[in-house]
Amino acid sequence: MSEQNKKPLLLQGNEAIVHGALVAGCRFFAGYPITPASEIAEMLSVELPAVGGTFIQMEDEIAGMGAIVGASLAGTKAMTATSGPGFSLIQENLGYACVAEVPCVIVNVMRGGPSTGLPTSPAQGDVQMARWGTHGDHPIVVLAVSTVMDSFTITVKAFNIAEKYRVPVIILSDEVVAHTREAVQLPDAKEVKVLNRIRPSVPPDWYKPYEGDARGVSPMASFGDGYRHHVTGLIHDEMGYPTQNPQEVEKFHKRLSRKITHGFSEIQMTNSYYMDDAELFVIAYGSVARSALRAVQDARKNGVKVGLLQLITLFPFPRRTITPLLKQCKAVLVPEMNSGQISREVQRVNQGRCTVVKHNRIDGKFITSWELYHRINKMIPPA
Amino acid sequence: MTIPAQALRHEYLRHNKTFPHVWCPGCGNGIVMGALLRAIKRLDVSKDEMVLASGIGCSGRMPTYLDFNTLHTTHGRALTFATGVKLANPALNVVAIMGDGDATAIGGNHFIHAARRNLNLTAIIINNSIYGMTGGQYSPTTPFGSQSTTSVYGHIEHAFSISELAVTAGASFVARATVYHADLLDKLLEKAMLKRGFAVVEVISNCHVQYGKRNKLGNAVDMIKSYKDQAITVAKAKKMTPEEREGKITIGILEDRDMPISTEEYRKVQERAAKLKEKA
């Protein structure tokens, strides 16, 4: 594999996700065919059995999500991939993965919605659904990819976060990233940092599967390891047994949140471009971040002091990075292929400090660098 | 071999913080649980290798009490989680315990596909003809004309035969017992767990609290005794006309066939894929 990786590969985003998953140690995929995510399943159906892993096409996305949670509990790194309509169906067992703290990765290659919507058109309409789609109060990690290379590296990071914090991690791709082909130089698998869940080291009798260490994360035993324990979607105590005791319920919820807040510096990822002297800036994510970067570069050529903050982590929303920039700049442009699902987060963090300008497309068309370039020029305050 | 109940309790019930259980006095779930534990004991399955998955409902609580690797999943989805567990670690013994609404309404799609897929799994369905935990609403096995909290004018839909559904969907082994026929149930569960392939055991059980009372079927004892009168063997059922079989419960092994098992077929896929990869 290492020899092969020395020459660049011409890959589409979906294929790069597969490469990332395999390098990260994913050995189980369960899912259901759906455009524009199907290539991920197709490629994994070829690759996984060759490395001793398992691929299964289930009867629907509900089953796909259930199966990856089961596989992860049996000790295997697992993922599923889907698009809008399937993402609606996975929400039920995604909630289960949140409550039972089962590491797994869910890829949603976004297409136009709601419902069957626009199956082959790009959109970013599932951002708030990724955050709040499954019912009940819960923290969640949502990452967005914008290039083919991202699709590789962020997938590895998604597995690492899932394993380290015992959480499901959602990767939002979109139709543009998924189907764009780019030449990429993938790193040698040996050079990629891969994290694995911590296994219990105490004797089985002492094992408390939901006690949590200082970070709030509990070591995770696999079914069959000798650490017999109970896993449930009910709110549970340290042993995993259902509880309605208010103190235990509150403790449970707080620990789930705490383990994510403790990991903010690692989980919250952004890329900053031309921000040092910026007076204006753009906040963008996914394929739109590519258009935004080009627009910013073009505007810079004209002397416009504009920068770009690309969000890789959408949730937990990286407010620690964004807040100082909102203080630094006069205005921020938030382009999105939806009606404003991240701009509302920006406004929430902004609290009136800086002018927030939305730029939204909901017509199934990609936001081009040209339209953002013009939008940036309109934002320049008169001299 | 009779196994003293106390020995079973000491060996298989969890010793820490899961009791009292949620089941009503006289519930058939306990009989099913006892039969399952006796089957596990007789087959000498290691507790570490035993996985018990359930969905939601009264039956869903069974894993909580038992000292195995236990997995209380979402409503209707026990078989999907069980599929993931079994494929990820085929050495594990995986049993899914479900209710009638759980397995054949909300989980109906998973049930027929699990049967078709033929993984080496055991599915036990406790069929009490009602949604008990939510208060007595009609389920896919509530008989035509009967009373439930959502069919107070009489139920107008027809009931599924869970076992026939499993046979048609392709399960390798399908059997039915009632909670009256505890000895038979022991044997059927043992056979089901030994069976290589997807094995289904349907257990007709009493919910005298939510179903019996509304339909004037008496208390737990009356209902359990009625299964004795209604039960006919598979051999006997074959000689009867459909009209004669009306209102009867056919018990015994309804299907037992050998087919390729997808867990084992997948090992062959892995070998083929690895060989091709080597060549490339």
Side-chain angles (χ1 to χ4, degrees):
Chain A
M1 191 164 175
S2 57
E3 282 301 310
Q4 201 182 2
N5 281 354
K6 278 172 188 160
K7 52 186 184 208
L9 298 172
L10 184 65
L11 298 179
Q12 54 166 229
N14 280 345
E15 291 168 339
I17 284 177
V18 170
H19 283 273
L22 291 170
V23 168
C26 174
R27 290 296 178 267
F28 188 93
F29 178 97
Y32 188 83
I34 189 164
T35 304
S38 297
E39 293 87 358
I40 297 172
E42 286 171 346
M43 195 171 160
L44 281 168
S45 77
V46 175
E47 298 297 329
L48 277 174
V51 292
T54 305
F55 166 89
I56 187 166
Q57 187 171 308
M58 297 298 284
E59 53 274 15
D60 56 29
E61 289 88 347
I62 299 170
M65 188 64 212
I68 69 165
V69 171
S72 186
L73 288 168
T76 307
K77 290 188 187 178
M79 77 181 285
T80 189
T82 187
S83 186
F87 197 52
S88 291
L89 292 185
I90 68 127
Q91 296 302 326
E92 178 192 49
N93 289 333
L94 172 64
Y96 188 94
C98 291
V99 162
E101 299 174 71
V102 183
C104 55
V105 171
I106 300 103
V107 178
N108 174 15
V109 184
M110 291 184 285
R111 67 191 218 185
S115 189
T116 314
L118 296 164
T120 57
S121 298
Q124 296 177 314
D126 304 346
V127 170
Q128 289 292 345
M129 186 196 186
R131 176 63 193 89
W132 293 113
T134 196
H135 62 274
D137 214 27
H138 61 284
I140 194 106
V141 178
V142 182
L143 310 177
V145 294
S146 70
T147 63
V148 172
M149 194 61 209
D150 263 8
S151 300
F152 175 87
T153 50
I154 302 306
T155 301
V156 176
K157 283 192 175 151
F159 274 98
N160 286 349
I161 291 169
E163 292 286 315
K164 184 167 177 182
Y165 297 92
R166 282 191 66 174
V167 287
V169 175
I170 296 168
I171 297 174
L172 293 180
S173 180
D174 60 59
E175 199 276 334
V176 172
V177 183
H179 289 158
T180 298
R181 285 188 187 276
E182 289 180 282
V184 286
Q185 182 80 51
L186 297 184
D188 192 293
K190 283 180 224 129
E191 290 157 21
V192 178
K193 186 182 165 195
V194 171
L195 300 179
N196 296 310
R197 63 191 71 169
I198 297 168
R199 310 275 178 175
S201 51
V202 295
D205 287 352
W206 298 5
Y207 181 50
K208 290 181 179 173
Y210 293 97
E211 185 184 28
D213 61 7
R215 294 180 301 130
V217 186
S218 308
M220 187 170 170
S222 305
F223 284 170
D225 273 0
Y227 291 84
R228 298 186 303 274
H229 64 285
H230 186 58
V231 182
T232 178
L234 289 164
I235 304 299
H236 42 268
D237 61 18
E238 307 182 320
M239 294 304 292
Y241 300 136
T243 181
Q244 293 189 50
N245 175 323
Q247 277 100 34
E248 286 178 338
V249 173
E250 194 183 3
K251 195 175 152 196
F252 166 85
H253 277 294
K254 285 195 163 161
R255 184 174 59 75
L256 248 55
S257 295
R258 181 161 54 94
K259 63 181 188 178
I260 298 299
T261 11
H262 274 208
F264 268 178
S265 57
E266 184 178 40
I267 295 170
Q268 293 181 332
M269 296 176 283
T270 55
N271 284 333
S272 185
Y273 301 92
Y274 311 102
M275 282 308 304
D276 289 349
D277 63 342
E279 292 169 4
L280 302 173
F281 78 121
V282 183
I283 293 178
Y285 57 94
S287 57
V288 177
R290 310 179 64 144
S291 301
L293 181 59
R294 176 64 188 270
V296 165
Q297 285 165 338
D298 288 348
R300 279 269 165 185
K301 283 177 195 157
N302 301 336
V304 182
K305 289 187 174 172
V306 59
L308 166 68
L309 184 75
Q310 181 200 344
L311 306 184
I312 291 167
T313 305
L314 302 185
F315 299 104
F317 191 66
R319 66 185 301 160
R320 286 183 194 180
T321 312
I322 294 172
T323 307
L325 302 178
L326 291 167
K327 285 181 188 162
Q328 173 191 329
C329 295
K330 295 187 183 77
V332 58
L333 174 68
V334 190
E336 297 178 83
M337 292 187 285
N338 59 44
S339 310
Q341 298 194 15
I342 281 294
S343 64
R344 67 161 58 206
E345 297 294 326
V346 175
Q347 278 162 334
R348 179 172 64 85
V349 172
N350 183 44
Q351 297 181 337
R353 289 186 189 102
C354 154
T355 308
V356 179
V357 181
K358 289 167 55 176
H359 180 87
N360 308 103
R361 275 200 94 140
I362 47 167
D363 58 355
K365 288 289 177 193
F366 183 54
I367 297 178
T368 63
S369 60
W370 187 243
E371 66 185 275
L372 290 182
Y373 173 75
H374 283 283
R375 194 72 198 227
I376 290 165
N377 283 337
K378 276 190 204 164
M379 286 166 66
I380 302 167
Chain B
M1 178 179 77
T2 38
I3 302 163
Q6 181 153 318
L8 275 186
R9 282 199 292 271
H10 286 179
E11 185 164 1
Y12 293 114
L13 295 198
R14 281 195 160 119
H15 296 185
N16 46 15
K17 210 202 169 183
T18 48
F19 296 92
H21 62 68
V22 299
W23 299 329
C24 306
C27 178
N29 284 6
I31 297 172
V32 181
M33 187 166 93
L36 174 64
L37 294 181
R38 284 188 291 274
I40 290 168
K41 178 75 183 166
R42 283 207 187 92
L43 295 172
D44 198 22
V45 179
S46 130
K47 291 198 280 186
D48 286 339
E49 283 170 13
M50 181 70 212
V51 178
L52 186 63
S54 69
I56 297 294
C58 300
S59 66
R61 294 303 181 102
M62 190 182 291
T64 321
Y65 312 128
L66 300 177
D67 189 16
F68 304 124
N69 302 285
T70 54
L71 181 53
H72 179 209
T73 76
T74 44
H75 197 20
R77 320 298 180 209
L79 285 169
T80 71
F81 286 65
T83 298
V85 171
K86 184 68 187 179
L87 285 170
N89 186 354
L92 295 171
N93 262 295
V94 185
V95 173
I97 180 100
M98 297 169 283
D100 44 294
D102 196 32
T104 63
I106 192 163
N109 199 26
H110 310 309
F111 180 60
I112 57 174
H113 286 280
R116 175 186 63 80
R117 199 171 279 131
N118 203 31
L119 286 172
N120 204 2
L121 293 173
T122 307
I124 303 168
I125 298 150
I126 303 178
N127 179 2
N128 62 7
S129 306
I130 203 81
Y131 286 93
M133 190 172 260
T134 46
Q137 299 81 11
Y138 65 78
S139 87
T141 56
T142 302
F144 184 87
S146 52
Q147 295 283 316
S148 74
T149 56
T150 46
S151 63
V152 291
Y153 304 110
H155 190 40
I156 58 166
E157 297 172 14
H158 301 279
F160 261 143
S161 163
I162 295 177
S163 292
E164 283 171 45
L165 180 67
V167 172
T168 311
S172 284
F173 178 91
V174 181
R176 190 193 281 120
T178 82
V179 287
Y180 175 83
H181 303 85
D183 277 347
L184 174 70
L185 183 57
D186 278 19
K187 288 182 192 113
L188 294 178
L189 287 177
E190 206 176 315
K191 281 205 160 77
M193 286 187 67
L194 275 177
K195 181 71 192 178
R196 294 168 63 260
F198 190 69
V200 178
V201 178
E202 179 188 3
V203 191
I204 307 296
S205 183
N206 58 303
C207 183
H208 47 285
V209 176
Q210 300 292 8
Y211 181 70
K213 198 162 70 182
R214 279 191 190 89
N215 291 283
K216 301 191 168 56
L217 299 173
N219 60 23
V221 176
D222 297 329
M223 283 188 82
I224 294 173
K225 271 187 179 164
S226 76
Y227 300 144
K228 181 190 176 188
D229 304 329
Q230 290 169 54
I232 51 170
T233 61
V234 173
K236 194 174 176 191
K238 274 181 186 157
K239 291 178 198 148
M240 292 164 75
T241 64
E243 289 75 31
E244 288 168 330
R245 283 202 299 267
E246 197 68 32
K248 299 286 180 196
I249 303 166
T250 308
I251 56 169
I253 297 169
L254 297 141
E255 184 62 76
D256 189 357
R257 54 192 163 189
D258 291 311
M259 290 184 293
I261 306 166
S262 55
T263 12
E264 286 170 12
E265 292 303 305
Y266 200 76
R267 296 296 153 235
K268 295 178 195 166
V269 168
Q270 286 176 324
E271 281 162 24
R272 287 202 286 271
K275 261 183 205 159
L276 280 174
K277 185 105 182 168
E278 233 168 70
K279 271 185 199 166

